[in-house]
Amino acid sequence: MATAPAAETAPRGAMAPEPYRVASRAPETVDTWTLLLEPLGAPIVPAPGQFNMLYAFGVGEVPISTSAAPEPGGELVHTIRAVGPVTQKLCATEPGDVIGVRGPFGTTWPLEEARGGDLVIVAGGIGLAPVRPAVYHALTHRDDYGSLCVLVGARTPSDLLYVRELEDWRGRFDVEVGVTVDSAVGDWHGRVGVVPRLIPGAAFDPAATTALVVGPEIMMTFTAKALLEQGVPKERIYVSMERNMRCGLGHCGHCQLGPMLICRDGPVFRYDEMEALMGVREL
Amino acid sequence: MQTLDEIVAESPVFGGLEPAQLQLIAGCAHNAAFSKGERIFREGDAADTFYLVRRGRVALTAHVPGRGDVTIETVEPGEVLGWSWLFPPYTWHFDARAVEDAGVVAFDGACLRGKCDADHALGFELMRRFAQVMIDRLQHTRTLLLDVYGHGPGS
């Protein structure tokens, strides 16, 4: 496996949550918020692709990918969609509230391995959040990569995350940004269609490309097919998987997918490791 | 500047056809332009033309009472707009509007239908190629029907 290996020993902060104060809460869409969390103890430092377990005291824990590189003061950035009791509670926090954080957990995006080649980043829906740290890494180390394509899909224009950042990235001369939505009304002048359709028109050398794909599983499957059709090798396509992660340490087994434990062996996997498992209906 | 013959020969939908067939198709074509916001065709109107988008973006829309015009797909440069010209009742199923200034090659579908009737080899080739266009659109529509972002888990 080319992604960073899971830690042999649990990271500090793996078992007991560290207290973090909500420094700010910013709306992204009607149901999605970005929390800036400042550490009250020793900071947790996740790498791009990893996740933390966020604990809404008295309600429960959820795994949420880091959506930005850690700030200089150790602050964490997490973008959360309110879809259940825990995420709804987290999204309803106010500045000053304290939540618990365990982590960091899981494998990372293969940004070192991708150096020297083209980088294609494909995100669907809230999937842009887990891959945003990889985009920033590539922008910060722009000379390390060839073409940089960021292809983003969402359900509607109002469901797009980080719109201002997408505009900023699109304004650069060294990044190709493609945005599409599944349907649109009103004055949307952008593209309408599914995100895999952006791939044939993107400028990259398939044989020298590393692709990072994150979004709903079916979207990742279609995207991987489109990348394969363009000639991107299967082992250079990476997907970020999601299952019902509880412990984050590979102990409880809730996130088992065949022989894999998503929290320990993932969430970032090479597509050739995941392709067969993603096609098993019973899993 | 490319001639119509060259544009037709290099287009994905017509690429690989015999020179005589390409010449015949190009004989039914002319360049056209639509301004941003201009309607290209309207649902229910006669579908006697189809288009090869060369620049700009075209939206296929459906009018939904209470929601207005909903864009269900955009057609991008290099793609074909319209296949209703090939099948009865030869009427458009959706509206098409230029999202931005668009340059297209417009093909006289009624003329080509006549040529397909007279030349079945040409008819087969066009039917095969537009079947591919329709399959692509069908697969796209099926993917959209999955509404993959509608109930997706959090990040």
Side-chain angles (χ1 to χ4, degrees), chain A residues 63-65 79 81 124-126 129-130 153-155 182-186 189-195 197 216 218-219 222 242, chain B residues 36 57 67-76 79 97 99-100 136-137 140 143-144 146-155:
Chain A
I64 304 288
S65 295
T79 297
R81 185 179 181 194
I126 197 165
R155 194 183 194 196
D182 283 359
S183 71
V185 294
H189 290 170
R191 189 161 177 159
V192 176
V194 293
V195 71
R197 293 188 74 187
I218 187 72
M219 167 261 166
F222 286 128
E242 201 169 276
Chain B
K36 178 180 176 180
R57 173 173 291 141
R67 292 174 65 192
D69 289 340
V70 178
T71 300
I72 51 175
E73 186 174 24
T74 52
V75 183
E76 309 291 325
E79 296 180 342
R97 178 177 51 81
V99 178
E100 51 196 54
D136 291 344
R137 298 280 157 80
H140 174 243
T143 309
L144 286 176
L146 292 173
D147 191 17
V148 297
Y149 307 123
H151 303 285
S155 65

Short mmCIF file of all heavy atoms in Angstrom, two decimals, chain A residues 63-65 79 81 124-126 129-130 153-155 182-186 189-195 197 216 218-219 222 242, chain B residues 36 57 67-76 79 97 99-100 136-137 140 143-144 146-155:
data_model
loop_
_atom_site.label_atom_id
_atom_site.label_comp_id
_atom_site.label_asym_id
_atom_site.label_seq_id
_atom_site.Cartn_x
_atom_site.Cartn_y
_atom_site.Cartn_z
N PRO A 63 -16.48 10.63 13.03
CA PRO A 63 -15.21 10.85 12.34
C PRO A 63 -15.37 11.97 11.32
O PRO A 63 -16.28 11.94 10.49
CB PRO A 63 -14.96 9.52 11.65
CG PRO A 63 -16.31 8.96 11.40
CD PRO A 63 -17.21 9.48 12.50
N ILE A 64 -14.51 12.95 11.38
CA ILE A 64 -14.55 14.06 10.43
C ILE A 64 -13.13 14.30 9.92
O ILE A 64 -12.21 14.50 10.71
CB ILE A 64 -15.08 15.36 11.09
CG1 ILE A 64 -16.47 15.14 11.71
CG2 ILE A 64 -15.11 16.49 10.06
CD1 ILE A 64 -17.60 14.98 10.73
N SER A 65 -12.99 14.31 8.61
CA SER A 65 -11.67 14.55 8.01
C SER A 65 -11.23 15.98 8.28
O SER A 65 -12.05 16.89 8.36
CB SER A 65 -11.72 14.33 6.51
OG SER A 65 -11.99 12.98 6.21
N THR A 79 -14.87 20.82 8.37
CA THR A 79 -16.13 21.16 7.73
C THR A 79 -17.09 20.00 7.93
O THR A 79 -16.77 18.85 7.61
CB THR A 79 -15.91 21.46 6.23
OG1 THR A 79 -15.06 22.60 6.12
CG2 THR A 79 -17.23 21.75 5.54
N ARG A 81 -21.12 18.43 7.76
CA ARG A 81 -22.50 18.49 7.25
C ARG A 81 -23.43 17.91 8.31
O ARG A 81 -23.20 16.81 8.83
CB ARG A 81 -22.60 17.68 5.97
CG ARG A 81 -23.94 17.77 5.28
CD ARG A 81 -23.89 16.95 4.01
NE ARG A 81 -25.15 17.02 3.30
CZ ARG A 81 -25.49 16.19 2.31
NH1 ARG A 81 -24.65 15.26 1.94
NH2 ARG A 81 -26.63 16.30 1.70
N GLY A 124 -16.52 15.35 -4.95
CA GLY A 124 -17.96 15.46 -5.13
C GLY A 124 -18.64 15.80 -3.83
O GLY A 124 -18.36 15.20 -2.80
N GLY A 125 -19.53 16.77 -3.86
CA GLY A 125 -20.28 17.16 -2.68
C GLY A 125 -19.37 17.64 -1.57
O GLY A 125 -18.41 18.39 -1.80
N ILE A 126 -19.62 17.13 -0.37
CA ILE A 126 -18.80 17.55 0.77
C ILE A 126 -17.41 16.91 0.71
O ILE A 126 -16.53 17.21 1.53
CB ILE A 126 -19.51 17.23 2.09
CG1 ILE A 126 -18.88 18.02 3.23
CG2 ILE A 126 -19.54 15.74 2.35
CD1 ILE A 126 -19.69 18.06 4.49
N ALA A 129 -14.10 18.83 1.18
CA ALA A 129 -13.50 19.14 2.49
C ALA A 129 -12.30 18.24 2.80
O ALA A 129 -11.22 18.75 3.13
CB ALA A 129 -14.56 19.05 3.58
N PRO A 130 -12.42 16.92 2.69
CA PRO A 130 -11.27 16.07 3.02
C PRO A 130 -10.08 16.25 2.08
O PRO A 130 -8.95 15.93 2.45
CB PRO A 130 -11.82 14.65 2.90
CG PRO A 130 -13.27 14.76 2.86
CD PRO A 130 -13.61 16.13 2.40
N GLY A 153 -17.68 18.61 -8.18
CA GLY A 153 -19.10 18.45 -8.50
C GLY A 153 -19.95 18.66 -7.27
O GLY A 153 -19.51 18.38 -6.15
N ALA A 154 -21.15 19.14 -7.48
CA ALA A 154 -22.08 19.33 -6.37
C ALA A 154 -23.49 19.12 -6.91
O ALA A 154 -23.71 19.07 -8.13
CB ALA A 154 -21.94 20.70 -5.75
N ARG A 155 -24.43 19.01 -5.99
CA ARG A 155 -25.80 18.75 -6.41
C ARG A 155 -26.40 19.97 -7.14
O ARG A 155 -26.98 19.84 -8.20
CB ARG A 155 -26.63 18.41 -5.18
CG ARG A 155 -27.97 17.81 -5.47
CD ARG A 155 -28.71 17.59 -4.17
NE ARG A 155 -29.87 16.72 -4.34
CZ ARG A 155 -30.84 16.62 -3.44
NH1 ARG A 155 -30.77 17.30 -2.31
NH2 ARG A 155 -31.85 15.82 -3.66
N ASP A 182 -25.19 19.07 -10.64
CA ASP A 182 -26.12 18.11 -11.23
C ASP A 182 -27.33 18.78 -11.87
O ASP A 182 -27.91 18.26 -12.83
CB ASP A 182 -26.61 17.11 -10.16
CG ASP A 182 -25.55 16.06 -9.85
OD1 ASP A 182 -24.47 16.10 -10.47
OD2 ASP A 182 -25.81 15.21 -8.98
N SER A 183 -27.76 19.89 -11.33
CA SER A 183 -28.84 20.65 -11.95
C SER A 183 -28.77 22.08 -11.43
O SER A 183 -28.15 22.34 -10.39
CB SER A 183 -30.22 20.04 -11.66
OG SER A 183 -30.57 20.24 -10.31
N ALA A 184 -29.39 22.97 -12.18
CA ALA A 184 -29.29 24.38 -11.80
C ALA A 184 -30.53 25.13 -12.27
O ALA A 184 -31.14 24.79 -13.29
CB ALA A 184 -28.04 25.02 -12.41
N VAL A 185 -30.89 26.13 -11.52
CA VAL A 185 -31.93 27.05 -11.94
C VAL A 185 -31.34 28.45 -11.84
O VAL A 185 -30.29 28.66 -11.24
CB VAL A 185 -33.20 26.95 -11.06
CG1 VAL A 185 -33.88 25.61 -11.24
CG2 VAL A 185 -32.86 27.18 -9.60
N GLY A 186 -32.04 29.39 -12.43
CA GLY A 186 -31.64 30.78 -12.28
C GLY A 186 -30.45 31.16 -13.12
O GLY A 186 -30.31 30.72 -14.26
N HIS A 189 -24.23 30.07 -14.72
CA HIS A 189 -23.66 30.06 -16.06
C HIS A 189 -22.60 28.97 -16.23
O HIS A 189 -21.94 28.90 -17.27
CB HIS A 189 -23.05 31.43 -16.39
CG HIS A 189 -24.10 32.49 -16.58
ND1 HIS A 189 -23.81 33.82 -16.70
CD2 HIS A 189 -25.44 32.40 -16.64
CE1 HIS A 189 -24.93 34.51 -16.83
NE2 HIS A 189 -25.92 33.66 -16.80
N GLY A 190 -22.43 28.19 -15.19
CA GLY A 190 -21.41 27.15 -15.24
C GLY A 190 -21.93 25.88 -15.88
O GLY A 190 -22.99 25.84 -16.51
N ARG A 191 -21.16 24.85 -15.69
CA ARG A 191 -21.45 23.58 -16.34
C ARG A 191 -22.48 22.79 -15.53
O ARG A 191 -22.49 22.85 -14.30
CB ARG A 191 -20.15 22.78 -16.45
CG ARG A 191 -20.25 21.54 -17.28
CD ARG A 191 -18.89 21.08 -17.72
NE ARG A 191 -19.04 19.83 -18.47
CZ ARG A 191 -18.16 19.36 -19.33
NH1 ARG A 191 -17.05 20.02 -19.55
NH2 ARG A 191 -18.36 18.23 -19.97
N VAL A 192 -23.32 22.04 -16.23
CA VAL A 192 -24.29 21.16 -15.58
C VAL A 192 -24.04 19.75 -16.10
O VAL A 192 -24.09 19.50 -17.31
CB VAL A 192 -25.74 21.59 -15.86
CG1 VAL A 192 -26.72 20.59 -15.27
CG2 VAL A 192 -25.99 22.99 -15.28
N GLY A 193 -23.80 18.85 -15.19
CA GLY A 193 -23.52 17.46 -15.54
C GLY A 193 -22.77 16.82 -14.40
O GLY A 193 -22.37 17.48 -13.44
N VAL A 194 -22.55 15.51 -14.51
CA VAL A 194 -21.87 14.81 -13.42
C VAL A 194 -20.36 15.04 -13.50
O VAL A 194 -19.81 15.28 -14.57
CB VAL A 194 -22.20 13.30 -13.45
CG1 VAL A 194 -23.68 13.09 -13.13
CG2 VAL A 194 -21.87 12.71 -14.81
N VAL A 195 -19.71 14.93 -12.35
CA VAL A 195 -18.30 15.31 -12.27
C VAL A 195 -17.38 14.44 -13.13
O VAL A 195 -16.39 14.97 -13.67
CB VAL A 195 -17.84 15.40 -10.80
CG1 VAL A 195 -17.75 14.04 -10.14
CG2 VAL A 195 -16.56 16.15 -10.67
N ARG A 197 -17.66 13.69 -16.06
CA ARG A 197 -17.61 14.26 -17.41
C ARG A 197 -16.60 15.39 -17.54
O ARG A 197 -16.30 15.83 -18.65
CB ARG A 197 -19.00 14.75 -17.82
CG ARG A 197 -19.99 13.60 -18.00
CD ARG A 197 -21.29 14.06 -18.59
NE ARG A 197 -21.16 14.34 -20.01
CZ ARG A 197 -22.12 14.89 -20.74
NH1 ARG A 197 -23.25 15.22 -20.18
NH2 ARG A 197 -21.94 15.12 -22.03
N PRO A 216 -19.17 10.64 -2.55
CA PRO A 216 -19.98 9.43 -2.35
C PRO A 216 -19.38 8.26 -3.13
O PRO A 216 -18.80 8.45 -4.21
CB PRO A 216 -21.35 9.83 -2.91
CG PRO A 216 -21.36 11.32 -2.81
CD PRO A 216 -19.96 11.77 -3.03
N ILE A 218 -20.44 5.87 -5.01
CA ILE A 218 -20.83 5.65 -6.40
C ILE A 218 -20.18 6.69 -7.30
O ILE A 218 -19.79 6.41 -8.43
CB ILE A 218 -22.38 5.64 -6.54
CG1 ILE A 218 -22.79 5.23 -7.95
CG2 ILE A 218 -22.98 6.99 -6.21
CD1 ILE A 218 -22.59 3.77 -8.22
N MET A 219 -20.05 7.90 -6.79
CA MET A 219 -19.36 8.94 -7.57
C MET A 219 -17.90 8.59 -7.76
O MET A 219 -17.33 8.79 -8.84
CB MET A 219 -19.52 10.30 -6.85
CG MET A 219 -18.62 11.41 -7.34
SD MET A 219 -17.20 11.55 -6.21
CE MET A 219 -16.11 12.58 -7.18
N PHE A 222 -17.63 5.88 -10.54
CA PHE A 222 -17.76 6.45 -11.90
C PHE A 222 -16.54 7.29 -12.26
O PHE A 222 -16.09 7.29 -13.41
CB PHE A 222 -19.03 7.29 -12.01
CG PHE A 222 -20.30 6.49 -12.07
CD1 PHE A 222 -21.36 6.75 -11.22
CD2 PHE A 222 -20.43 5.46 -12.99
CE1 PHE A 222 -22.53 6.01 -11.28
CE2 PHE A 222 -21.60 4.71 -13.06
CZ PHE A 222 -22.65 4.99 -12.19
N GLU A 242 -15.36 5.67 3.37
CA GLU A 242 -16.05 6.03 4.60
C GLU A 242 -16.95 4.88 5.03
O GLU A 242 -17.63 4.27 4.22
CB GLU A 242 -16.91 7.27 4.34
CG GLU A 242 -17.27 8.01 5.59
CD GLU A 242 -17.87 9.36 5.25
OE1 GLU A 242 -17.12 10.31 5.01
OE2 GLU A 242 -19.10 9.43 5.22
N LYS B 36 -25.22 35.27 -25.95
CA LYS B 36 -25.50 34.83 -24.58
C LYS B 36 -26.99 35.04 -24.26
O LYS B 36 -27.51 36.13 -24.47
CB LYS B 36 -24.63 35.64 -23.61
CG LYS B 36 -24.85 35.32 -22.15
CD LYS B 36 -23.95 36.19 -21.28
CE LYS B 36 -24.22 35.96 -19.81
NZ LYS B 36 -23.34 36.78 -18.96
N ARG B 57 -20.99 27.68 -24.42
CA ARG B 57 -21.70 26.64 -23.65
C ARG B 57 -23.19 26.79 -23.91
O ARG B 57 -23.71 27.90 -23.93
CB ARG B 57 -21.39 26.81 -22.17
CG ARG B 57 -22.19 25.91 -21.25
CD ARG B 57 -21.72 26.02 -19.82
NE ARG B 57 -20.40 25.44 -19.66
CZ ARG B 57 -19.44 25.96 -18.90
NH1 ARG B 57 -19.65 27.06 -18.21
NH2 ARG B 57 -18.26 25.37 -18.82
N ARG B 67 -40.68 26.42 -10.57
CA ARG B 67 -39.22 26.46 -10.43
C ARG B 67 -38.54 27.22 -11.54
O ARG B 67 -37.37 27.55 -11.47
CB ARG B 67 -38.64 25.03 -10.38
CG ARG B 67 -39.02 24.26 -9.12
CD ARG B 67 -38.54 22.82 -9.20
NE ARG B 67 -37.09 22.71 -9.22
CZ ARG B 67 -36.43 21.59 -9.51
NH1 ARG B 67 -37.11 20.50 -9.81
NH2 ARG B 67 -35.12 21.57 -9.50
N GLY B 68 -39.29 27.45 -12.61
CA GLY B 68 -38.70 28.15 -13.74
C GLY B 68 -37.94 27.21 -14.64
O GLY B 68 -38.21 26.00 -14.68
N ASP B 69 -36.97 27.75 -15.37
CA ASP B 69 -36.18 26.94 -16.28
C ASP B 69 -35.09 26.21 -15.50
O ASP B 69 -34.23 26.83 -14.89
CB ASP B 69 -35.54 27.81 -17.37
CG ASP B 69 -36.57 28.32 -18.36
OD1 ASP B 69 -37.66 27.71 -18.44
OD2 ASP B 69 -36.31 29.33 -19.02
N VAL B 70 -35.14 24.89 -15.53
CA VAL B 70 -34.14 24.07 -14.84
C VAL B 70 -33.16 23.54 -15.88
O VAL B 70 -33.57 22.91 -16.86
CB VAL B 70 -34.81 22.89 -14.10
CG1 VAL B 70 -33.76 22.01 -13.44
CG2 VAL B 70 -35.81 23.40 -13.08
N THR B 71 -31.89 23.82 -15.66
CA THR B 71 -30.86 23.30 -16.57
C THR B 71 -30.56 21.86 -16.19
O THR B 71 -30.16 21.58 -15.06
CB THR B 71 -29.58 24.14 -16.49
OG1 THR B 71 -29.89 25.48 -16.85
CG2 THR B 71 -28.52 23.60 -17.44
N ILE B 72 -30.76 20.97 -17.14
CA ILE B 72 -30.53 19.55 -16.85
C ILE B 72 -29.19 19.07 -17.39
O ILE B 72 -28.69 18.03 -16.97
CB ILE B 72 -31.66 18.68 -17.42
CG1 ILE B 72 -31.89 19.01 -18.89
CG2 ILE B 72 -32.93 18.87 -16.63
CD1 ILE B 72 -32.90 18.11 -19.54
N GLU B 73 -28.62 19.85 -18.29
CA GLU B 73 -27.32 19.47 -18.84
C GLU B 73 -26.77 20.64 -19.63
O GLU B 73 -27.53 21.44 -20.18
CB GLU B 73 -27.47 18.25 -19.76
CG GLU B 73 -26.17 17.68 -20.28
CD GLU B 73 -26.38 16.39 -21.06
OE1 GLU B 73 -27.48 16.18 -21.58
OE2 GLU B 73 -25.43 15.60 -21.14
N THR B 74 -25.47 20.75 -19.67
CA THR B 74 -24.86 21.71 -20.59
C THR B 74 -24.10 20.95 -21.66
O THR B 74 -23.58 19.86 -21.42
CB THR B 74 -23.93 22.69 -19.86
OG1 THR B 74 -22.99 21.97 -19.07
CG2 THR B 74 -24.71 23.66 -18.99
N VAL B 75 -24.06 21.53 -22.84
CA VAL B 75 -23.33 20.95 -23.96
C VAL B 75 -22.11 21.82 -24.20
O VAL B 75 -22.22 23.05 -24.32
CB VAL B 75 -24.23 20.87 -25.21
CG1 VAL B 75 -23.49 20.20 -26.36
CG2 VAL B 75 -25.51 20.10 -24.89
N GLU B 76 -20.97 21.18 -24.25
CA GLU B 76 -19.69 21.88 -24.26
C GLU B 76 -19.04 21.80 -25.65
O GLU B 76 -19.48 21.01 -26.50
CB GLU B 76 -18.76 21.26 -23.21
CG GLU B 76 -19.37 21.14 -21.82
CD GLU B 76 -19.57 22.48 -21.13
OE1 GLU B 76 -18.74 23.38 -21.33
OE2 GLU B 76 -20.56 22.61 -20.38
N GLU B 79 -19.06 18.87 -28.51
CA GLU B 79 -20.19 17.96 -28.31
C GLU B 79 -21.34 18.31 -29.25
O GLU B 79 -21.45 19.43 -29.74
CB GLU B 79 -20.66 18.01 -26.85
CG GLU B 79 -19.60 17.52 -25.87
CD GLU B 79 -20.04 17.56 -24.40
OE1 GLU B 79 -21.02 18.28 -24.09
OE2 GLU B 79 -19.38 16.92 -23.59
N ARG B 97 -30.52 26.89 -24.86
CA ARG B 97 -30.22 28.32 -24.77
C ARG B 97 -28.71 28.49 -24.63
O ARG B 97 -28.04 27.69 -23.95
CB ARG B 97 -30.93 28.89 -23.53
CG ARG B 97 -30.71 30.34 -23.23
CD ARG B 97 -31.53 30.76 -22.01
NE ARG B 97 -31.35 29.88 -20.86
CZ ARG B 97 -30.33 29.96 -20.02
NH1 ARG B 97 -29.41 30.87 -20.18
NH2 ARG B 97 -30.24 29.13 -19.00
N VAL B 99 -25.67 29.74 -22.97
CA VAL B 99 -25.32 30.28 -21.65
C VAL B 99 -24.34 31.42 -21.81
O VAL B 99 -24.33 32.37 -21.03
CB VAL B 99 -24.71 29.16 -20.77
CG1 VAL B 99 -24.30 29.70 -19.42
CG2 VAL B 99 -25.68 28.02 -20.62
N GLU B 100 -23.51 31.31 -22.82
CA GLU B 100 -22.57 32.37 -23.17
C GLU B 100 -22.51 32.43 -24.69
O GLU B 100 -23.06 31.55 -25.36
CB GLU B 100 -21.19 32.10 -22.57
CG GLU B 100 -20.68 30.71 -22.87
CD GLU B 100 -19.50 30.29 -21.99
OE1 GLU B 100 -19.61 30.36 -20.75
OE2 GLU B 100 -18.48 29.90 -22.57
N ASP B 136 -24.55 8.01 -24.38
CA ASP B 136 -23.81 8.86 -23.44
C ASP B 136 -24.77 9.71 -22.61
O ASP B 136 -24.62 9.85 -21.40
CB ASP B 136 -22.83 9.75 -24.19
CG ASP B 136 -21.68 8.95 -24.81
OD1 ASP B 136 -21.49 7.79 -24.40
OD2 ASP B 136 -21.00 9.49 -25.70
N ARG B 137 -25.75 10.28 -23.31
CA ARG B 137 -26.73 11.13 -22.59
C ARG B 137 -27.56 10.29 -21.63
O ARG B 137 -27.89 10.73 -20.53
CB ARG B 137 -27.63 11.85 -23.59
CG ARG B 137 -26.89 12.79 -24.53
CD ARG B 137 -26.56 14.12 -23.87
NE ARG B 137 -25.44 14.77 -24.54
CZ ARG B 137 -25.52 15.45 -25.67
NH1 ARG B 137 -26.68 15.62 -26.25
NH2 ARG B 137 -24.46 15.99 -26.20
N HIS B 140 -25.52 9.43 -18.62
CA HIS B 140 -25.39 10.64 -17.82
C HIS B 140 -26.67 10.89 -17.03
O HIS B 140 -26.63 11.17 -15.82
CB HIS B 140 -25.09 11.81 -18.77
CG HIS B 140 -25.09 13.13 -18.09
ND1 HIS B 140 -25.99 14.13 -18.39
CD2 HIS B 140 -24.32 13.62 -17.10
CE1 HIS B 140 -25.75 15.17 -17.63
NE2 HIS B 140 -24.75 14.90 -16.84
N THR B 143 -27.03 8.48 -14.18
CA THR B 143 -26.16 8.84 -13.06
C THR B 143 -26.77 9.98 -12.26
O THR B 143 -26.74 9.98 -11.03
CB THR B 143 -24.77 9.24 -13.58
OG1 THR B 143 -24.30 8.22 -14.47
CG2 THR B 143 -23.78 9.38 -12.44
N LEU B 144 -27.33 10.94 -12.98
CA LEU B 144 -27.97 12.05 -12.27
C LEU B 144 -29.15 11.57 -11.42
O LEU B 144 -29.37 12.07 -10.32
CB LEU B 144 -28.47 13.10 -13.27
CG LEU B 144 -27.42 13.99 -13.93
CD1 LEU B 144 -28.06 14.89 -14.96
CD2 LEU B 144 -26.70 14.83 -12.88
N LEU B 146 -29.38 9.02 -9.78
CA LEU B 146 -28.92 8.44 -8.52
C LEU B 146 -28.85 9.48 -7.41
O LEU B 146 -28.82 9.14 -6.23
CB LEU B 146 -27.54 7.80 -8.71
CG LEU B 146 -27.50 6.56 -9.59
CD1 LEU B 146 -26.07 6.13 -9.84
CD2 LEU B 146 -28.28 5.42 -8.94
N ASP B 147 -28.80 10.75 -7.81
CA ASP B 147 -28.75 11.84 -6.82
C ASP B 147 -27.68 11.54 -5.77
O ASP B 147 -27.96 11.48 -4.58
CB ASP B 147 -30.12 12.02 -6.17
CG ASP B 147 -30.20 13.31 -5.36
OD1 ASP B 147 -29.35 14.19 -5.56
OD2 ASP B 147 -31.11 13.41 -4.51
N VAL B 148 -26.45 11.34 -6.25
CA VAL B 148 -25.40 10.80 -5.38
C VAL B 148 -25.08 11.71 -4.19
O VAL B 148 -24.59 11.25 -3.17
CB VAL B 148 -24.10 10.53 -6.16
CG1 VAL B 148 -24.34 9.46 -7.21
CG2 VAL B 148 -23.55 11.79 -6.79
N TYR B 149 -25.36 12.98 -4.30
CA TYR B 149 -25.03 13.88 -3.20
C TYR B 149 -26.22 14.08 -2.25
O TYR B 149 -26.09 14.75 -1.23
CB TYR B 149 -24.60 15.25 -3.72
CG TYR B 149 -23.50 15.18 -4.74
CD1 TYR B 149 -23.66 15.73 -6.00
CD2 TYR B 149 -22.30 14.55 -4.44
CE1 TYR B 149 -22.65 15.66 -6.94
CE2 TYR B 149 -21.29 14.46 -5.38
CZ TYR B 149 -21.47 15.03 -6.63
OH TYR B 149 -20.47 14.95 -7.55
N GLY B 150 -27.36 13.52 -2.63
CA GLY B 150 -28.56 13.81 -1.86
C GLY B 150 -28.55 13.28 -0.45
O GLY B 150 -29.03 13.92 0.47
N HIS B 151 -28.02 12.09 -0.28
CA HIS B 151 -28.05 11.48 1.05
C HIS B 151 -26.68 10.97 1.45
O HIS B 151 -26.57 10.01 2.20
CB HIS B 151 -29.07 10.33 1.08
CG HIS B 151 -30.44 10.76 0.69
ND1 HIS B 151 -31.24 11.48 1.53
CD2 HIS B 151 -31.11 10.64 -0.47
CE1 HIS B 151 -32.38 11.75 0.92
NE2 HIS B 151 -32.32 11.26 -0.30
N GLY B 152 -25.66 11.59 0.90
CA GLY B 152 -24.30 11.16 1.19
C GLY B 152 -23.92 11.41 2.63
O GLY B 152 -24.44 12.31 3.27
N PRO B 153 -23.01 10.60 3.11
CA PRO B 153 -22.55 10.79 4.48
C PRO B 153 -21.70 12.03 4.62
O PRO B 153 -21.23 12.60 3.64
CB PRO B 153 -21.72 9.53 4.75
CG PRO B 153 -21.27 9.10 3.40
CD PRO B 153 -22.35 9.49 2.44
N GLY B 154 -21.48 12.45 5.83
CA GLY B 154 -20.63 13.60 6.08
C GLY B 154 -19.18 13.27 5.81
O GLY B 154 -18.81 12.13 5.59
N SER B 155 -18.37 14.27 5.73
CA SER B 155 -16.96 14.03 5.42
C SER B 155 -16.25 13.48 6.65
O SER B 155 -16.74 13.62 7.76
CB SER B 155 -16.29 15.30 5.00
OG SER B 155 -16.27 16.21 6.06
#
